[in-house]
Structure formats: C-alpha cells, structure tokens
C-alpha cells in the first residue's frame, strides 16, 4: 500500500513513521509512505501557499495552485483509491474506517492548515474528508499520522502475530481484556489466577467476559452499535 501525504510542515511528519511497527513495515516493503512538501509545488515567487480569505475574516486560506498541481502530478503517475482531506468537519475516523482504508492500494492524505483550504479543492479533488475527533488541531498533520499509523499496522505482515491486530479493542466493538506480564506478584499486586492456570479454554472465556464487562462499564455506547 502506498500512502502519499501532502503537507506544508513535512518536518512534523518525517519522524512520525520512523519507529517500531511502522518503520519495519516500510523496511519490509509492506507499505511506502511519501511525504510531499506542498510549498515545493508553489509557482509563487515567494513560494507562498496561502492567502487572505475572500470576503474578509481572520486567518489565511491555503491556495489551490500548489495543491492542485501536486495532486494532478501524482494522479498522472498512478490511480488513487482515495484522496483524503483531514479536517474537523470530516467523517469521524474509527476502526472500521481504518479497516476499509487498509485494503486500498494508493491513497493521498492532504493535511489542512491555517483557516482551511480553498473550498474548490474539496469540491473537485477530495474524495473523502476525515476528522480524528471533535476538537480542533493546529493542522492536519497529527490527524494524518494517526490515520497512517492505524492503517499500516493492519497490513498483512506489519504485526508479527497476525491475530494480534484482530484482537484489538474496537475490532468487534469491544474493548480488549486487560493484559499482564511477569512478575506474577509485584509487591502484593497479583495477576488474576486464571491467567496462570494454563487452561486456554478458561482463559479465553475469562478474556471474553472481561471485554464485555469493561465495554459495558467504560464504553456502553459501543454495545449499541
Ligand atoms: N485538523 C484540525 N483538526 C482536525 C481534526 N480534529 N481531525 C482531522 N483534521 C484536523
């Protein structure tokens, strides 16, 4: 899977994918993540990428030209399944959306900034708008990093234990059961006996019960989905 991220702040993203599972997925050619600096495609003599809003008002608006030229250039090179714009007005990101994106071949993620982007980009070039939550970030870069991280870890081979992505919280609208590791007794803080029993059937049942109990208590809204 190829993920092309378009941003005016490439430095914010350059380090984000250079660790752990995502870094290994890139090294194993499971995914290719490219970060494009929108400023490099500005034809303005000062390499400007924003301008004052028509009609007045606070904040700057990202201009069409560098973004449209960059997207058109990429589209000439390959077909894209989705061209995503990260924005607080988008559809709220969740595990189902991550699953859906993880089976795509090529996607673009355009990071918004300032007061927004010229609306014509959204009307003519964007296929999907995604928000990572009901709050406003200074830009879409962190949202792009969240989406990329969630999607890449689902790609086959990204996680060594293949069942582990399937048992994530939210995969079946249930929170995960608690996990423990050695020591079994830390100054009197004990691991539940059942996990030390060696009886896999009982352990699996305990985990399922814990998932349901935690979901009822902490996220009852998930059970009605
Ligand atoms: N840009 C600013 N806030 C955002 C959010 N909550 N989700 C996605 N992109 C954003």
């Amino acid at each position: 899977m190829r993920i092309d991220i378009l941003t005016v702040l490439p430095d914010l993203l350059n380090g984000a994918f250079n660790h752990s599972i995502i870094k290994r997925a890139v090294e194993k050619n499971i995914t290719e993540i490219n970060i494009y600096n929108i400023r490099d495609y500005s034809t303005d003599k000062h390499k400007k990428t924003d301008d004052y809003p028509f009609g007045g008002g606070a904040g700057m608006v990202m201009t069409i030209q560098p973004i449209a030229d960059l997207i058109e250039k990429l589209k000439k090179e390959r077909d894209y399944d989705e061209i995503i714009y990260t924005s607080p007005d988008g559809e709220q990101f969740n595990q189902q959306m991550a699953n859906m994106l993880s089976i795509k071949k090529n996607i673009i993620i355009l990071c918004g900034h300032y007061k927004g982007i010229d609306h014509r980009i959204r009307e003519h070039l964007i296929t999907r708008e995604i928000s990572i939550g009901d709050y406003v970030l200074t830009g879409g870069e962190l949202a792009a990093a969240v989406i990329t991280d969630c999607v890449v870890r689902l790609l086959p081979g990204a996680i060594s234990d293949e069942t582990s992505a399937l048992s994530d919280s939210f995969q079946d609208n249930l929170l995960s059961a608690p996990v423990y590791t050695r020591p079994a007794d830390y100054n009197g803080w004990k691991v539940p006996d059942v996990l030390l029993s060696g009886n896999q059937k009982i352990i699996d049942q305990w985990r399922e019960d814990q998932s349901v109990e935690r979901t009822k208590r902490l996220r009852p809204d998930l059970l009605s989905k």
Side-chain angles (χ1 to χ4, degrees):
M1 177 183 197
R2 176 185 173 117
I3 304 176
D4 291 338
I5 305 178
L6 322 189
T7 172
V8 287
L9 292 176
D11 289 346
L12 196 55
L13 284 166
N14 275 329
F17 308 119
N18 227 345
H19 305 276
S20 172
I21 291 170
I22 310 300
K23 181 182 182 188
R24 280 201 299 278
V26 171
E27 284 167 357
K28 288 198 261 173
N29 288 325
I30 290 167
T31 185
E32 182 181 334
I33 302 171
N34 302 294
I35 298 166
Y36 290 89
N37 189 347
I38 293 170
R39 200 171 299 283
D40 293 343
Y41 297 84
S42 172
T43 54
D44 177 80
K45 63 174 185 289
H46 302 296
K47 294 278 170 203
K48 249 169 55 139
T49 56
D50 62 350
D51 211 333
Y52 294 99
F54 278 127
M60 303 291 272
V61 175
M62 288 172 79
T63 52
I64 301 180
Q65 178 273 315
I67 295 172
D69 283 0
L70 175 51
I71 292 179
E72 293 305 342
K73 169 193 129 68
L74 292 170
K75 278 167 72 171
K76 274 192 202 128
E77 290 165 2
R78 68 195 64 74
D79 290 333
Y80 284 91
D81 303 296
E82 293 282 2
I83 303 179
I84 295 163
Y85 173 54
T86 54
S87 154
D89 346 333
E91 193 183 344
Q92 186 142 347
F93 190 61
N94 57 23
Q95 192 63 46
Q96 280 69 41
M97 215 188 284
N99 294 345
M100 176 277 290
L101 291 174
S102 74
I103 55 175
K104 308 287 184 194
K105 196 159 173 272
N106 300 314
I107 66 171
I108 287 175
I109 306 179
L110 169 64
C111 305
H113 241 265
Y114 314 108
K115 196 71 198 152
I117 59 173
D118 190 305
H119 200 70
R120 290 166 287 184
I121 296 170
R122 295 165 75 169
E123 285 173 332
H124 298 288
L125 296 171
I126 297 301
T127 61
R128 185 180 285 272
E129 302 197 2
I130 299 180
S131 162
I132 59 161
D134 285 341
Y135 40 79
V136 181
L137 302 163
T138 54
E141 284 73 16
L142 294 177
V146 165
I147 295 165
T148 303
D149 186 286
C150 276
V151 169
V152 168
R153 64 187 290 289
L154 294 172
L155 299 175
I159 295 181
S160 42
D161 174 1
E162 277 168 29
T163 58
S164 132
L166 291 175
S167 63
D168 288 338
S169 279
F170 302 115
Q171 268 310 0
D172 43 15
N173 281 330
L174 288 175
L175 302 184
S176 297
V179 292
Y180 302 86
T181 186
R182 276 183 286 242
D185 184 338
Y186 180 81
N187 299 337
W189 297 351
K190 294 202 171 114
V191 168
D193 287 338
V194 56
L195 295 178
L196 311 174
S197 69
N199 184 329
Q200 200 57 51
K201 225 174 130 195
I202 297 177
I203 292 172
D204 290 344
Q205 186 60 55
W206 178 85
R207 287 186 169 147
E208 203 180 309
D209 295 347
Q210 286 287 317
S211 278
V212 173
E213 187 280 320
R214 282 169 54 77
T215 311
K216 273 190 192 151
R217 184 161 46 85
L218 302 169
R219 291 293 307 275
D221 55 300
L222 291 176
L223 292 172
S224 54
K225 281 188 184 159

